[in-house]
Amino acid sequence: IDYFNIFCRGKITKIKNFYTLNKKKSNIKTSQIEFSSGDLGQYNCVWNMPGPWAVYVTTQAKRYEIKPLESLKYQKRESRYLINLDLKYKKDLGCKPGLVNQTRQMYFFLKKKKNNLVKLREAYKTMKIIDRIYK
């Protein structure tokens, strides 16, 4: 959900919640997030069921696919094929993807060194979106 704050421009103007398969278990959830810039975000959650995490970003020229979150592919407008970009952090092999680098960033934070961890303000924005989707 924090990717909406990264990829979409402007402020959230509306969140429409469309579908929940089982409200008690919230297995499937679909929401559309509208931004003041005109950008639209679509959130689809499949909880406690098989399926990889994924982020799709579509512009006029390209469509980006981050699936799983540790890999990036893109498709040019005039093409039918995805181009794979290698983003894998080699030290993550044999671990949960992203865990080694996230732990490294936390170490830098604790040592008061430059790091890539999300700032508290950004985390709060994400929590507000989650609240509006799942209220």
Side-chain angles (χ1 to χ4, degrees):
I1 292 175
D2 49 343
Y3 283 90
F4 291 118
N5 292 322
I6 295 169
F7 292 114
C8 297
R9 300 161 299 150
K11 295 185 178 189
I12 294 174
T13 57
K14 188 183 227 178
I15 294 180
K16 297 178 188 174
N17 294 309
F18 292 106
Y19 189 68
T20 301
L21 177 66
N22 182 335
K23 287 194 176 200
K24 290 182 182 178
K25 293 183 182 179
S26 296
N27 289 338
I28 297 175
K29 179 81 170 177
T30 300
S31 300
Q32 180 176 300
I33 297 131
E34 299 177 12
F35 290 81
S36 58
S37 65
D39 291 350
L40 292 175
Q42 184 174 345
Y43 172 73
N44 297 299
C45 175
V46 178
W47 195 254
N48 291 332
M49 298 166 71
W53 290 92
V55 173
Y56 303 99
V57 176
T58 304
T59 68
Q60 291 293 327
K62 291 182 182 174
R63 179 180 71 86
Y64 298 89
E65 181 177 294
I66 306 169
K67 178 182 173 183
L69 295 183
E70 295 74 30
S71 69
L72 173 64
K73 298 175 186 172
Y74 71 92
Q75 177 182 358
K76 294 180 180 178
R77 183 178 190 165
E78 64 279 356
S79 175
R80 292 180 175 227
Y81 302 100
L82 288 168
I83 298 167
N84 196 13
L85 298 173
D86 184 20
L87 298 179
K88 293 185 178 161
Y89 187 64
K90 302 301 180 204
K91 293 181 180 180
D92 266 347
L93 297 175
C95 296
K96 179 181 177 191
L99 182 63
V100 172
N101 193 39
Q102 189 174 22
T103 303
R104 188 169 172 249
Q105 296 303 316
M106 181 59 125
Y107 172 81
F108 291 155
F109 171 78
L110 293 172
K111 293 293 184 178
K112 300 188 187 313
K113 294 182 178 182
K114 185 177 178 180
N115 62 75
N116 294 324
L117 294 176
V118 68
K119 304 293 184 240
L120 186 57
R121 181 180 312 153
E122 293 301 313
Y124 180 71
K125 284 171 61 176
T126 297
M127 293 301 121
K128 285 174 52 176
I129 296 172
I130 292 169
D131 184 57
R132 290 178 66 184
I133 290 172
Y134 284 99
K135 67 177 180 178

